[in-house]
Amino acid sequence: MTDIKTIELFIAPGCPHCPNMIKMTSEMVKKGDIARLEIINIAEAGELAAQAGIRSVPTFRIKDVVLTGVHQPSELLQWFKKGDSKASQIDYYNQAFEQGQLDDIISRLEREPGKLSLLLSMSADLETPLTSRIGISAIFEHFSGSQPLKDLSDEICRLAHSEHESVRVDMAHFLGLTQFEKNLPCLEKLLKDEFEDVRETAEDAIAMIQENL
C-alpha cells in the first residue's frame, strides 16, 4: 500500500454488512477523508485474501492494521492518525484480543512471525489488559517448539529476571514452550526463586523441554 490515505475493504457475496460498509467508505472518499478506496471481493480474489490473512468479512486494512467487522468512519480515521508506531501496533493487538480475533492474529503472525517480539514485550508490561495476556499466552502455545519462538529465547530469559513475580511466571512458561535445550540454565536459576508459583512453573517448563529432547 502507498503512503496516501488508502483503505482496503474486503467483502464477499451474501455478507449482510458489506453493502453498508461499501457505501460508508465511498462517502469517505467523496468527502476527502481518504484518498483511495480499494474494494476486494474475496470470492473472486481468494488468493489475495489468503495472502492478506483475511478470514471473514467485512474486513478493513489500513497500512499494517487489519480490522474485522463493522466500523465507523471515526474509528477508521483514527488509525491513520496513530501511524505505524509501536504504540499503534499495541493498540491494534489489544483491540483485536478484546474482540476475540485470536485466529486472525495467529494467521497474521504465521505470515509475520517477527511480530512475536512485540507480543512478548506486551506480556511483560503490567499495564497490558488481562484479555490480551490470555491471548498472548494462547499464541505462544500455538507457536510452541517453532523456530520463531526459539529465536526469542535470549529476550525471554532476560525478562525472566523481572522484579515482578507474574512476569517471571509467564516467562518461565514461555521458555518451556520454546522446547529449546539452551534455555535449561535460565530455568534452573528460576528454581531458586522466592515465589512458589515461579518455581513450579520453571519445573514444569524444564520437564517440557526434557520431554522433547
Side-chain angles (χ1 to χ4, degrees), residues 3-14:
D3 290 334
I4 67 173
K5 284 186 176 180
T6 301
I7 289 179
E8 291 178 326
L9 172 59
F10 293 83
I11 64 167

Side-chain angles (χ1 to χ4, degrees), residues 198-212:
V198 178
R199 297 195 300 270
E200 289 183 351
T201 306
E203 288 177 0
D204 292 341
I206 288 172
M208 185 184 303
I209 292 175
Q210 291 176 336
E211 287 175 4
N212 290 278

Side-chain angles (χ1 to χ4, degrees), residues 8-24:
E8 291 178 326
L9 172 59
F10 293 83
I11 64 167
C15 164
H17 301 295
C18 290
N20 285 336
M21 294 300 98
I22 293 172
K23 180 179 179 181
M24 180 193 76

Side-chain angles (χ1 to χ4, degrees), residues 9-12 15 18 40 42 49-50 52-61 66-70 99-101 103-104 107:
L9 172 59
F10 293 83
I11 64 167
C15 164
C18 290
I40 300 99
I42 66 172
I54 306 303
R55 303 167 63 92
S56 59
V57 293
T59 291
F60 301 87
R61 186 163 68 172
V66 178
L67 304 170
T68 301
V70 174
Q99 295 177 349
Q101 298 174 13
D103 289 342
D104 291 335
S107 177

Side-chain angles (χ1 to χ4, degrees), residues 57-87:
V57 293
T59 291
F60 301 87
R61 186 163 68 172
I62 300 172
K63 294 186 177 181
D64 198 33
V65 171
V66 178
L67 304 170
T68 301
V70 174
H71 293 273
Q72 297 303 313
S74 58
E75 297 177 77
L76 300 177
L77 292 174
Q78 190 64 33
W79 288 103
F80 287 109
K81 294 179 181 178
K82 291 180 179 180
D84 298 322
S85 66
K86 179 180 179 181

Side-chain angles (χ1 to χ4, degrees), residues 34-210:
I34 60 175
R36 186 169 68 190
L37 170 65
E38 296 182 14
I39 300 174
I40 300 99
N41 187 328
I42 66 172
E44 299 297 327
E47 184 175 345
L48 179 61
Q51 291 174 353
I54 306 303
R55 303 167 63 92
S56 59
V57 293
T59 291
F60 301 87
R61 186 163 68 172
I62 300 172
K63 294 186 177 181
D64 198 33
V65 171
V66 178
L67 304 170
T68 301
V70 174
H71 293 273
Q72 297 303 313
S74 58
E75 297 177 77
L76 300 177
L77 292 174
Q78 190 64 33
W79 288 103
F80 287 109
K81 294 179 181 178
K82 291 180 179 180
D84 298 322
S85 66
K86 179 180 179 181
S88 172
Q89 290 297 304
I90 290 174
D91 285 346
Y92 161 71
Y93 281 114
N94 281 332
Q95 178 175 301
F97 282 126
E98 183 179 354
Q99 295 177 349
Q101 298 174 13
L102 181 63
D103 289 342
D104 291 335
I105 297 173
I106 289 175
S107 177
R108 179 180 182 181
L109 290 169
E110 285 176 340
R111 301 190 317 276
E112 303 177 80
K115 294 189 180 296
L116 283 170
S117 61
L118 177 59
L119 295 185
L120 180 62
S121 67
M122 289 175 63
S123 180
D125 184 348
L126 298 184
E127 298 299 318
T128 298
L130 179 60
T131 303
S132 296
R133 292 181 176 281
I134 294 172
I136 291 169
S137 182
I139 285 171
F140 275 59
E141 289 171 3
H142 174 83
F143 282 91
S144 179
S146 68
Q147 190 58 49
L149 195 55
K150 287 182 171 69
D151 291 341
L152 289 176
S153 292
D154 290 343
E155 182 63 13
I156 299 174
C157 186
R158 184 186 69 78
L159 292 171
H161 298 294
S162 167
E163 62 181 312
H164 303 291
E165 174 193 358
S166 61
V167 175
R168 297 200 300 277
V169 169
D170 287 340
M171 296 306 135
H173 178 53
F174 295 162
L175 285 170
L177 292 175
T178 65
Q179 299 180 21
F180 198 12
E181 186 177 7
K182 169 189 173 181
N183 292 323
L184 288 175
C186 187
L187 285 165
E188 288 166 355
K189 292 180 181 179
L190 294 177
L191 294 176
K192 301 175 183 178
D193 196 275
E194 61 180 312
F195 291 99
E196 183 178 0
D197 285 350
V198 178
R199 297 195 300 270
E200 289 183 351
T201 306
E203 288 177 0
D204 292 341
I206 288 172
M208 185 184 303
I209 292 175
Q210 291 176 336

